[in-house]
Structures are given as C-alpha cells and as structure tokens.
Amino acid sequence: MTVLGARSSSLASLGWSDFFGDQLEPDDAGLIPTRIAMVHRDRLSGLSQSGQIDLTLPPNANTGDYAVGDWVLVEPHDQLVKRRLTRKTVLERRTQGGRVPQLAAANVDTLFIVTSCNADFNIARLERYLALANEAGTTPVILLTKADTAEDAETYQKQAAALQRGLAVVMLNPRIADAATALAAWCGVGQTVALIGSSGVGKSTLVNTLAGSGQQSPQQTGAIREHDAKGRHTTTARSLHAVAGGGWVIDTPGMRTLQVSDVGYGIDTLFAEITELAPLCKFRDCTHVHEPGCAVQAAIKAGTLDPERLARWRKLSDENQHNTPVVSGPRGAKFPVGRGKRR
Ligand SMILES: Nc1nc2c(ncn2[C@@H]2O[C@H](COP(=O)(O)OP(=O)(O)OP(=O)(O)O)[C@@H](O)[C@H]2O)c(=O)[nH]1
Ligand SMILES: [Mg+2]
Ligand SMILES: [Zn+2]
C-alpha cells in the first residue's frame, strides 16, 4: 500500500535541518538519513531522498520505540535501522492505566488540534491537548470543523480562542480545497504538522484535502454516528503524508481519552494568567484555596480571573502531579523525572 505522496525530495524538504545534521558522526558516512513515515505493529516504513523504503528493525528493537516523523540512519544494502537521531520535539501520551507513554509523533513543528462544532467540543479536553503541545515544544493551532452543521459556530470559536494567549483558531471545512489555503502558513516546505483529536472530527478528510487533487486520496474516512456525533475509529495507524506543494502532515487515530503526565511546563504556559499571579501570593507554596494574601483569589474577587478556569487548572495540575513519577534527590527532595522533550 502506498500511503505517501511518492516524490523524490531534498533532505530539507523532508524536514531535515542542522539540528539533525549536527548529530552525524564521521562513522555515519554512507548511511541514509530516512524519515519514519509509517509505524505498524511489526514493521516500519520510511522516506528518504530517493523515495519510500521498507525498513528492517535492529534485533531486540520494537516498532513502538519509533514515532512517525523520527529521523533514523539506515544501512543502504539491507535497510537496517542503525540509529535514531535525537528528536527536536516529541508528542507522547499516557493511556488510561498504561505505564509507558505512547509515542504519537516526532519532530512536529505545529500541532493541529481538531474539534467539531458539535458534541465533540469540550474545553477541558482541548486544554489537555494544549498542555501536551506546549510541553512538546510544538505550536498548537485549534481547527474547528463542521461549522456548516452548527448554528452558533462563532460561540465555539470565541471559547477556543480564550483558552491560551495568542492561540490561533481556524474554522474550516476539511472537505473543501479552501481548507488547504487557510492552513498554508503552517504547511510550508520542510514544515511538519500533526493532526490530533477525537474520532470523526475530520482529520483524515483534511489529510486528503492537504494532499491535493494531484494524487489519489491517501486516507480512508468514515461517517460519524448521527445521535452523538461519535466517530468510528476509521484510522488505526499513524502515518506521514506529503502536503501539495509544501510540507508534511501526520494523521493519527482518534483518541478516546488523554491522560496528562509530566506536562508541568505545558500547563504553566496554558494557564499563563494564573502562573503569573502565583509569585505575588504571600506564601511561596500557596495553593490558592484559602491562604491570606493570595493573589489568585484576589483576582477572582476582582473579576479578572475566571473561577472555572482556576478549577480546571487545579484539576489538571493535580492529575499531572499524580501521574508524574518523582525521584528522590539530595536530602530527600522530590523532583519530577525528565521533561518529555528531546529524547
Ligand atoms: N458536514 C461536515 N462534515 C465533515 C466535516 N469535516 C469532516 N466531515 C465528515 O466527518 C466524517 C469523519 O471524517 P474523518 O476524516 O474520517 O474523521 P477522522 O477524524 O479521521 O476520524 P478517525 O479516523 O476515526 O479518528 C466524514 O464523513 C467527513 O466527510 C465538515 O466540516 N462538515
Ligand atoms: Mg481518520
Ligand atoms: Zn495564592
């Protein structure tokens, strides 16, 4: 099955940059830089300058160790993956009950968080995606689909735009070519975007539109259930696709739940208006609940901070703390392990 817009490309147009070039050692001469394009349960395929390659996994390696978008160095005679290069960004998530984070995509510049103007739209869930994007070091953009089926699409747009400072929100219909024009700024040559969101919001439909009419639609799409707007999990694997005249887009299967862990930085960025007030509280370890001299509670009283936003910040921060493994440092001090980036 060909899932990729087969085209021979320069390394730069595949998303290669000095960040990866600087990792090459003299011994690596002769190995082929290859971008992981599809991860299956038992095999990997990649894209190099000369096109698509089926890759051979090194002994004892697992396909789960690789993410779509990863850069690897490949032996030319047997397509063996010799080495994976350090990631610029990585999107990973913990599934409910799962201990090992699942890799969603790597080396992504922009994360398109896709939601529909219907029962799928959920502010607390969008905030989870935003925390994940911020933590990973990717720029989040919210894409609002199915405005054509809603009467009050602007209300959705307003609510989404209020979730984070400077957040771009784009209302579009993934079924028409205008959608590609609206997203062109993020899809330039060498740029990589990933799509994330619930099943049925139109991610694969958008991939097909971004791929352009010049090639066969790379992705299958599926109708949603009318009564609750839920999708049918049509996409089951992650894959990389060429955007017509531009960069690359990663399609992912619709998510049911998103647990956060190790996204402290992502939450601080998302809730900047709360993060900025905390240093003004009287107590350094203020929980912003009952303490005297609390700048956050003062802002609530003054009407400059939304109490519901504070409640959601608390819930997400608590969950993050609960899910983030800690190690004991010197004198028993606890600090979180790792930062979720560049691995
Ligand atoms: N009316 C309308 N329908 C849309 C729009 N965007 C997508 N659809 C339809 O929504 C359905 C689901 O689209 P998909 O692209 O398969 O959704 P997905 O997000 O890839 O879903 P999974 O692969 O299950 O995660 C398809 O029938 C699309 O034609 C839109 O803006 N308006
Ligand atoms: Mg899909
Ligand atoms: Zn406080």
Side-chain angles (χ1 to χ4, degrees), residues 12-339:
S13 71
L14 280 169
W16 182 266
S17 63
D18 287 347
F19 178 83
F20 304 105
D22 289 348
Q23 299 180 45
L24 295 181
E25 309 281 341
D27 279 1
D28 295 329
L31 298 176
I32 310 170
T34 303
R35 195 137 193 225
I36 301 288
M38 196 148 185
V39 177
H40 300 272
R41 205 145 43 93
D42 53 354
R43 61 195 174 85
L44 295 177
S45 64
L47 267 186
S48 73
Q49 266 175 295
S50 43
Q52 196 178 335
I53 331 179
D54 287 328
L55 299 169
T56 311
L57 270 179
N60 305 324
N62 192 306
T63 57
D65 303 336
Y66 299 89
V68 168
D70 264 338
W71 278 102
V72 293
L73 300 177
V74 174
E75 201 67 79
H77 61 278
D78 57 3
Q79 289 78 46
L80 180 74
V81 177
K82 290 289 279 187
R83 189 151 78 80
R84 174 176 66 69
L85 299 180
T86 297
R87 297 161 177 147
K88 200 155 75 170
T89 62
V90 58
L91 288 158
E92 53 184 6
R93 61 161 191 144
R94 209 168 282 272
T95 47
Q96 218 143 21
R99 291 311 304 157
V100 188
Q102 211 176 63
L103 295 168
N107 302 319
V108 169
D109 300 294
T110 307
L111 183 66
F112 287 158
I113 300 167
V114 191
T115 183
S116 304
C117 300
N118 60 25
D120 179 70
F121 189 91
N122 178 309
I123 282 180
R125 178 151 38 76
L126 290 174
E127 285 173 341
R128 284 166 180 264
Y129 288 135
L130 288 168
L132 185 82
N134 295 339
E135 184 71 30
T138 63
T139 307
V141 176
I142 297 207
L143 306 189
L144 275 175
T145 63
K146 309 202 184 185
D148 54 309
T149 63
E151 274 163 21
D152 50 351
E154 276 76 30
T155 319
Y156 290 97
Q157 182 155 30
K158 266 205 202 108
Q159 291 187 68
L163 294 180
Q164 181 170 310
R165 276 183 200 156
L167 179 64
V169 179
V170 181
M171 217 186 310
L172 47 74
N173 184 338
R175 302 198 280 193
I176 57 177
D178 286 357
T181 315
L183 301 178
W186 294 283
C187 301
V189 173
Q191 294 286 302
T192 304
V193 302
L195 299 169
I196 199 170
S198 315
S199 176
V201 294
K203 299 180 294 300
S204 301
T205 307
L206 183 59
V207 167
N208 291 341
T209 298
L210 289 173
S213 49
Q215 56 174 303
Q216 212 187 345
S217 286
Q219 288 294 77
Q220 251 188 28
T221 61
I224 59 171
R225 298 195 307 214
E226 283 300 324
H227 67 281
D228 60 0
K230 286 217 166 25
R232 298 160 196 265
H233 293 278
T234 309
T235 306
T236 55
R238 301 173 181 85
S239 53
L240 182 74
H241 305 271
V243 176
W248 299 89
V249 55
I250 296 175
D251 195 8
T252 69
M255 285 189 181
R256 288 192 178 86
T257 59
L258 175 63
Q259 288 272 307
V260 297
S261 70
D262 209 358
V263 293
Y265 169 82
I267 292 176
D268 286 352
T269 307
L270 167 61
F271 293 101
E273 78 273 31
I274 300 173
T275 312
E276 284 171 5
L277 286 172
L280 307 176
C281 295
K282 186 171 168 195
F283 299 106
R284 203 175 53 86
D285 57 351
C286 185
T287 60
H288 319 312
V289 180
H290 51 73
E291 290 89 341
C294 173
V296 174
Q297 285 299 335
I300 299 263
K301 277 210 191 78
T304 52
L305 180 65
D306 175 5
E308 287 179 22
R309 183 100 162 139
L310 180 64
R312 295 199 304 272
W313 165 81
R314 190 179 308 285
K315 187 157 182 278
L316 202 58
S317 301
D318 287 353
E319 180 186 313
N320 185 53
Q321 226 156 40
H322 180 259
N323 286 343
T324 304
V326 288
V327 292
S328 292
R331 298 195 205 119
K334 304 271 190 198
F335 50 85
V337 186
R339 264 281 309 279

